[in-house]
Amino acid sequence: MSIQRAGAAGLRVQKLVSRTGLKPVRRPGALGAPAPLDQILIGDCIDSLNSLPEASVDLVFADPPYNLQLEGGLTRPDQSEVDAVDDDWDKFASFADYDRFTRDWLAAARRAMKPDATLFVIGSYHNIFRVGAILQDLGFWILNDIVWRKANPMPNFRGRRFTNAHETLIWASRSAKAKGYTFNYEALKAGNEDCQPRSDWFFPLCTGAERLKDENGRKVHPTQKPEALLARVIMSASKPGDVVLDPFFGTGTTGAVAKKLGRHFIGCERDPAYIEAAQKRIAAVEPLPEGACLTPVAKRQEKRVAFASLIEAGMIAAGAELFDDKKRWRVVVRADGALALGDIVGSIHKLGALVQGLPACNGWTFWRCMDKGGEISIDELRARYRATASEEE
């Protein structure tokens, strides 16, 4: 099957194998060189990863071979054959071979990651512990392990083990020193009924119309991941416009979801059938409107604003009163940005803690004032100030 550039589909494919079938010698991509955005790189994944510019991607999602070590076919109690993973790409001669392969692709992916990029790698009990140990050996810093609990797992037909109803994702930063990585905590919390997002995710296996089938009705790829899983990964740890790398692109779930959510993708794949399916799939994706993909700025990343700045901007007048939501306490705003409670003078935080008898207080959310429209928290006035300052910049 020939692979051609899909110009009409708006998806480019870069071929990294020679016409003779021999592997070309690839020089590592240079720092600052342009990344091949929204392309599928054809060929060995390690060669493809090493061809990428150094420090060029924001997020990596990897679904590597699981090395299932299957011995013979798998059958149901009625002796019908189970459509299991028995492809050559999942077969390794030994654990040592698998470990070498894992170390090589992880090292190549790490080189392509920006200093604040993160990586998700998914696996089963067959491989995820080996992958995790190698991650740590290479200098990655594990942030979380996440359990994907499957709503509809395949039963254990032989009745000799527990039903294998989950897979594990490891989320890691490039190093222990990487503190500025993306984690859209506020957005995830807002979409989770204002509860902190957890590390156990519940999704069904990829089935129905989402599952890609060939002309004979057989699965195009045996381990196609659900788009909901990839959406959670991408929305958790990237921003619109970021570059998402998938070293084991398969039928393009990562690319399809990245395009839908306003991100760029880079995929590495060597199987022509998978590449053809991915091209068609991604070409059919319509990106969401920009407003549907934006993520709020994390509180810790917002521009610092002094309370005195609100006075200087005329948003709160010196001499005005601040009060708590139940109007139990009232303080007076001083011209210098401090508050006065009789003879006691202090910051919005210090006086908020003092009147409650607490060791600390977030004065921005505790104190309120009168505005033209009625009562308002000074935190809302701070948000207005930030918005005005951004427009002026």
Side-chain angles (χ1 to χ4, degrees):
M1 182 184 296
S2 64
I3 304 298
Q4 299 178 341
R5 293 186 177 273
L11 174 67
R12 291 195 293 166
V13 177
Q14 182 175 328
K15 196 164 185 178
L16 296 182
V17 291
S18 69
R19 292 184 181 276
T20 62
L22 299 175
K23 278 193 196 175
V25 177
R26 303 292 302 174
R27 293 184 178 180
L31 180 64
L37 301 183
D38 306 319
Q39 293 188 37
I40 303 173
L41 309 183
I42 304 175
D44 177 80
C45 76
I46 297 168
D47 286 343
S48 297
L49 290 171
N50 282 326
S51 76
L52 294 175
E54 184 179 349
S56 59
V57 302
D58 301 284
L59 175 65
V60 179
F61 174 80
D63 184 9
Y66 286 10
N67 192 25
L68 295 181
Q69 308 121 47
L70 293 178
E71 297 179 0
L74 183 61
T75 58
R76 299 180 178 88
D78 64 2
Q79 300 306 306
S80 60
E81 185 178 346
V82 176
D83 186 13
V85 181
D86 56 2
D87 302 74
D88 289 341
W89 50 257
D90 194 59
K91 297 175 182 177
F92 292 83
S94 65
F95 285 130
D97 282 350
Y98 186 79
D99 290 350
R100 278 191 291 272
F101 168 74
T102 300
R103 188 172 291 105
D104 288 347
W105 78 256
L106 278 172
R110 189 171 185 268
R111 187 193 64 82
M113 293 168 65
K114 295 178 181 178
D116 57 355
T118 58
L119 171 144
F120 284 84
V121 58
I122 188 170
S124 70
Y125 67 87
H126 301 88
N127 72 323
I128 197 63
F129 303 107
R130 309 187 78 84
V131 172
I134 294 168
L135 271 170
Q136 292 178 313
D137 290 344
L138 291 174
F140 286 91
W141 186 255
I142 296 178
L143 301 170
N144 275 114
D145 66 325
I146 297 161
V147 173
W148 166 30
R149 190 160 59 93
K150 302 173 183 178
N152 50 344
M154 181 184 294
N156 183 264
F157 293 109
R158 293 173 180 167
R160 301 292 295 172
R161 303 182 185 184
F162 295 105
T163 295
N164 186 24
H166 76 278
E167 292 185 30
T168 301
L169 296 93
I170 296 175
W171 182 38
S173 59
R174 196 177 180 279
S175 72
K177 297 180 180 179
K179 305 299 183 184
Y181 58 85
T182 298
F183 179 51
N184 298 316
Y185 174 80
E186 284 80 8
L188 294 170
K189 185 177 178 181
N192 192 41
E193 303 295 328
D194 288 325
C195 294
Q196 189 175 67
R198 293 163 49 113
S199 62
D200 53 335
W201 299 355
F202 185 67
F203 296 111
L205 292 167
C206 182
T207 57
E210 187 181 319
R211 169 66 78 170
L212 301 187
K213 304 284 186 67
D214 61 20
E215 60 273 12
N216 298 317
R218 292 179 61 86
K219 300 173 185 176
V220 174
H221 194 289
T223 63
Q224 182 181 332
K225 295 300 182 287
E227 292 189 4
L229 179 70
L230 266 296
R232 178 76 61 86
V233 166
I234 291 172
M235 289 190 293
S236 297
S238 71
K239 301 181 290 292
D242 279 356
V243 180
V244 183
L245 168 66
D246 188 337
F248 308 96
F249 202 59
T251 52
T253 303
T254 300
V257 176
K259 180 180 177 182
K260 184 177 182 179
L261 295 176
R263 277 74 165 171
H264 295 289
F265 70 86
I266 301 172
C268 306
E269 183 52 58
R270 67 183 185 184
D271 188 292
Y274 295 166
I275 293 168
E276 183 179 33
Q279 288 178 248
K280 293 178 180 178
R281 179 183 188 183
I282 296 170
V285 170
E286 289 292 334
L288 291 172
E290 183 178 354
C293 299
L294 294 177
T295 54
V297 177
K299 291 289 185 184
R300 61 183 175 273
Q301 295 177 337
E302 289 182 324
K303 184 177 180 180
R304 187 177 179 84
V305 175
F307 180 66
S309 298
L310 304 188
I311 301 170
E312 294 164 356
M315 301 179 111
I316 296 178
E321 281 191 334
L322 302 186
F323 46 85
D324 66 294
D325 60 345
K326 295 182 180 178
K327 299 183 175 62
R328 293 169 293 182
W329 300 287
R330 292 179 181 271
V331 293
V332 177
V333 177
R334 290 168 39 114
D336 59 4
L339 304 184
L341 178 64
D343 294 333
I344 304 173
V345 176
S347 69
I348 58 173
H349 311 296
K350 181 179 179 179
L351 285 195
L354 178 67
V355 298
Q356 297 178 88
L358 298 175
C361 170
N362 182 348
W364 289 107
T365 57
F366 180 74
W367 295 114
R368 304 176 67 82
C369 66
M370 295 302 299
D371 190 54
K372 295 177 182 178
E375 294 182 15
I376 187 173
S377 74
I378 60 173
D379 196 34
E380 292 180 64
L381 290 180
R382 179 173 64 165
R384 289 185 192 173
Y385 179 89
R386 283 192 176 120
T388 303
S390 297
E391 290 175 1
E392 291 176 352
E393 290 174 0

